[in-house]
């Protein structure tokens, strides 16, 4: 259960607050608090005899209310402050997520499709696992790569998420509307709800609660279903229009994410829909690198903090700073993971150089040869390599047949209709000859 912050009964004067905030001995403390944006449950342990926790909380609240921004949705008024730390991250993201990235974040055109499909798979799997999908990444990726029909609800959730993300990348020129939102929800929840009529429909009653999975306590009671049309229309206007007061697009994307989860306009699938909308809005605003970030995987690893960010906002006078801070840190971590991933892939590409130099071998075939070398007992099917290589089944078959003709692979029957490709008896000899040259 989230502890409510204390009521400020013995308020300091403005002069006292300014004097305390400007005290050199407290400067590092206030910088730390601004950067980390902690809730009362952490602030209370930072107090001292000289500066009691309740007084410190009052100073923190005063600081957060300065240069405040507001977002109104129906009867709900939310506030947020863009701290120096958030401004720093926004600048970093602007420099790297849109335009042309440089250095270790560069993604070459020939590798974009391969990296993109891998990232979409990771995003689809993690977002579904957060909502209860019970399957391993290995099984899920095999299903998606081989385009196998989902066998159960968990696999169906992942399959839906994967296809919805791909659908959203094609909808980035559209404005947000209730119709688009319902279409997204329908795609995400297809064949996963108890009542199929709830797919792509707003809830029609208030029989819905967000419950703590451990304690069973009600953590959040969403607004009444009667408020859904008004708030959704306001949310669409918020996404589509530039108000007189500028709100950075990344901050808007985070607020849209929050509002869908807060409103809970659907019987189920609210979390997946909210995270998908964040993804869509980032692409819409030109942050193309978002497609390559596995954001939900980071959130999944820190699910407890994710849930608390919602609750802190609700328990502290609808201060969105907690949720914004959390998601900015998630973006930063996802970007750092991407850079590490790209560096690893760069090293793997360098390892392909000896195969790329084989006369008559294209880059895809060099990749297949490396896969054979790493797992010599593998049997390859054309359909399994479509997503791995990012090309059509016709191109995959041509690549494999070419390797058969050059003696690197041989064919084996899988059944009366399908043919598989595997390592040939001459494979090691041919590689040794090439290395000798």
């Amino acid at each position: 259960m989230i502890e409510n912050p204390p009521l400020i009964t013995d308020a300091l004067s403005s002069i006292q607050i300014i004097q305390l905030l400007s005290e050199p001995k407290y400067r590092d403390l206030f910088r730390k608090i601004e950067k980390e944006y902690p809730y009362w449950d952490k602030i209370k342990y930072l107090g001292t005899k000289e500066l009691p926790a309740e007084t410190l909380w009052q100073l923190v609240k005063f600081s957060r209310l300065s240069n405040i921004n507001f977002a109104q949705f129906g009867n709900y008024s939310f506030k947020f402050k863009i701290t120096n730390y958030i401004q720093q991250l926004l600048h970093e993201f602007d420099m790297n997520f849109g335009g042309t990235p440089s250095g270790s974040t560069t993604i070459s055109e020939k590798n974009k499709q391969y990296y993109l499909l891998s990232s979409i798979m990771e995003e689809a799997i993690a977002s579904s696992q957060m909502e209860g999908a019970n399957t391993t990444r290995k099984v899920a990726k095999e299903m998606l790569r081989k385009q196998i029909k989902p066998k159960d609800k968990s696999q169906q959730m992942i399959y839906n998420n994967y296809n919805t993300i791909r659908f959203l990348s094609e909808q980035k020129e559209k404005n947000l509307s209730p119709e688009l939102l319902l279409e997204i929800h329908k795609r995400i929840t297809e064949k996963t709800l108890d009542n199929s009529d709830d797919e792509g429909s707003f809830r029609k009653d208030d029989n819905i609660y967000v419950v703590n999975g451990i304690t069973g306590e009600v953590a959040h009671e969403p607004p009444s279903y009667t408020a859904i049309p008004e708030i959704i229309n306001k949310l669409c206007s918020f996404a589509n229009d530039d108000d007189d007061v500028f709100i950075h697009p990344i901050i808007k994307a985070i607020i849209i994410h929050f509002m869908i989860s807060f409103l809970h306009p659907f019987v189920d699938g609210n979390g997946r829909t909210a995270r998908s909308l964040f993804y869509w809005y980032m692409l819409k605003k030109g942050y193309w690198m978002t497609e390559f970030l596995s954001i939900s995987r980071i959130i999944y690893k820190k699910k407890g903090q994710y849930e608390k960010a919602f609750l802190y906002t609700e328990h502290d006078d609808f201060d969105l700073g907690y949720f914004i801070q959390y998601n900015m840190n998630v973006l930063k971590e996802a970007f750092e993971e991407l850079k590490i991933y790209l560096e690893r892939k760069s090293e793997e590409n360098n390892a392909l150089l000896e195969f790329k130099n084989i006369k008559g071998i294209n880059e895809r075939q060099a990749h297949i040869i490396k896969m054979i070398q790493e797992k010599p007992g593998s049997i390859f099917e054309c359909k399994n390599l479509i997503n791995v290589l990012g090309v059509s089944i016709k191109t995959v078959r041509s690549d494999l047949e070419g390797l058969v003709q050059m003696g690197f692979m041989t064919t084996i029957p899988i059944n009366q209709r399908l043919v598989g490709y595997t390592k040939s008896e001459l494979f090691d000899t041919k590689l040794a000859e090439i290395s000798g040259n």
Side-chain angles (χ1 to χ4, degrees), residues 138-413:
K138 181 179 179 180
V139 170
K141 282 194 168 185
E142 183 179 17
M143 174 192 70
L144 295 174
R145 285 198 179 106
K146 294 184 177 181
Q147 300 179 332
I148 299 172
K149 186 177 180 181
K151 296 179 180 178
D152 53 35
K153 179 180 176 180
S154 292
Q155 290 190 6
Q156 186 70 49
M157 288 171 67
I158 293 169
Y159 178 83
N160 289 350
N161 263 25
Y162 178 76
N163 287 325
T164 301
I165 292 172
R166 301 192 73 174
F167 164 77
L168 288 174
S169 67
E170 300 170 356
Q171 308 299 313
K172 56 190 176 186
E173 302 302 324
K174 290 188 176 181
N175 281 339
L176 183 61
S177 64
E179 292 74 24
L180 177 59
L181 178 58
L182 291 172
E183 177 64 23
I184 293 170
H185 181 261
K186 183 176 182 179
R187 288 172 178 268
I188 277 182
T189 58
E190 183 182 6
K191 299 179 182 178
T192 64
L193 303 184
D194 293 336
N195 183 353
S196 60
D197 291 340
D198 291 328
E199 298 170 8
S201 298
F202 294 129
R203 58 183 168 89
K204 300 174 178 63
D205 57 50
D206 291 330
N207 188 27
I208 185 168
Y209 304 95
V210 180
V211 179
N212 185 305
I214 298 175
T215 66
E217 296 175 314
V218 175
H220 170 60
E221 293 186 29
S224 171
Y225 77 98
T226 58
I228 291 175
E230 179 187 1
I231 294 178
I232 289 297
N233 285 331
K234 176 58 181 176
L235 188 63
C236 291
S237 297
F238 176 79
N240 301 330
D241 302 332
D242 292 324
D243 298 326
D244 293 337
V245 178
F246 172 78
I247 298 177
H248 193 283
I250 295 178
I251 301 299
K252 271 199 172 186
I254 293 171
I255 294 175
I256 291 169
H257 176 174
F258 175 89
M259 283 307 303
I260 292 297
S261 296
F262 175 80
L263 180 58
H264 255 62
F266 308 107
V267 170
D268 197 4
N270 294 282
R272 283 170 283 159
T273 303
R275 290 185 291 276
S276 294
L277 272 180
F278 170 84
Y279 175 92
W280 166 80
Y281 193 77
M282 290 284 285
L283 294 182
K284 177 179 176 61
K285 291 301 180 179
Y287 296 100
W288 65 269
M289 181 71 80
T290 307
E291 285 192 283
F292 299 87
L293 300 176
S294 298
I295 295 167
S296 287
R297 185 171 64 186
I298 306 299
I299 295 176
Y300 184 49
K301 290 191 296 184
K302 300 180 178 181
K303 189 178 179 183
Q305 295 178 33
Y306 177 63
E307 293 169 348
K308 281 185 177 180
F310 284 106
L311 297 175
Y312 289 159
T313 293
E314 192 167 357
H315 282 256
D316 190 11
D317 299 325
F318 292 139
D319 183 351
L320 283 166
Y322 302 103
F323 194 72
I324 291 171
Q325 178 85 2
Y326 173 84
N327 280 275
M328 293 295 287
N329 285 331
V330 165
L331 280 171
K332 181 177 176 62
E333 188 170 340
F335 182 51
E336 293 301 322
E337 279 201 357
L338 176 64
K339 288 194 287 187
I340 294 171
Y341 174 78
L342 292 178
E343 288 170 1
R344 186 175 75 248
K345 287 301 178 182
S346 178
E347 292 173 359
E348 291 177 3
N349 286 335
N350 291 335
L352 286 174
L353 285 177
E354 63 174 302
F355 305 133
K356 291 178 182 177
N357 293 329
I358 301 173
K359 186 177 180 180
I361 291 286
N362 62 40
E363 188 169 339
R364 296 183 305 275
Q365 290 171 321
H367 188 72
I368 294 171
I369 290 174
K370 187 172 184 296
M371 292 168 68
I372 296 171
Q373 191 181 50
E374 293 172 348
K375 296 182 179 181
S378 298
I379 298 175
F380 299 89
E381 294 181 52
C382 293
K383 64 179 182 179
N384 297 357
L385 293 173
I386 294 173
N387 287 335
V388 173
L389 300 177
V391 293
S392 68
I393 195 166
K394 182 178 179 181
T395 301
V396 171
R397 184 175 291 109
S398 176
D399 288 338
L400 291 169
E401 289 294 341
L403 291 173
V404 170
Q405 292 172 16
M406 286 183 273
F408 288 100
M409 302 187 79
T410 187
T411 58
I412 59 170

